[in-house]
Amino acid sequence: MIGKLNHVAIVVPDLEKAVATYRDILGATVSEPMDLPDHGVTTVFVELPNTKIELLLPLGENSPIARFLEKNPAGGMHHVCYEVEDIFAARNKLVGAGARILGDGEPKNGAHNKPVLFLHPKDFCGTLVELEQV
Ligand code: CO
């Protein structure tokens, strides 16, 4: 059901420093920062030949990643995103298998303006999983 790895997301305490690390030290191509107020994050995408790294900085007071950064002050890996062809079919199959979908269970538009869902880490090997319809 899942297809390509779309991105790996890393929460960072200092976005400029993270950009400099990926751009200047690791030599990757990075995007301009983009504020996503609906999601409570500022994102930068690092383009790799086979996937992307999504650098995430909390935005606003109720950012869903603020607590993660409190627990991991140096930052850390936050989620992996797999591509699916049909997010509703994927959701129904997962719910049928007893997996928990975060939030109200309905797909929302994500950072690429495509529908996404997040799956409970306890059902997926301790890793927060994002599904994105491509
Ligand atoms: Co993501």
Side-chain angles (χ1 to χ4, degrees), residues 60-78:
E61 283 178 11
N62 297 317
S63 173
I65 58 171
R67 241 170 67 85
F68 181 90
L69 203 52
E70 274 168 33
K71 284 196 219 158
N72 306 274
M77 209 205 82
H78 186 260

Side-chain angles (χ1 to χ4, degrees), residues 65-125:
I65 58 171
R67 241 170 67 85
F68 181 90
L69 203 52
E70 274 168 33
K71 284 196 219 158
N72 306 274
M77 209 205 82
H78 186 260
H79 66 265
V80 294
C81 177
Y82 302 122
E83 297 180 355
V84 294
E85 280 180 19
D86 181 336
I87 201 149
F88 289 101
R91 192 258 322 261
N92 294 342
K93 186 175 175 187
L94 289 164
V95 169
R100 287 165 286 182
I101 313 291
L102 298 190
D104 62 8
E106 294 303 318
K108 303 235 179 343
N109 274 359
H112 313 110
N113 220 21
K114 290 177 178 163
V116 303
L117 283 174
F118 284 91
L119 312 180
H120 201 297
K122 286 196 174 143
D123 297 334
F124 295 95
C125 310

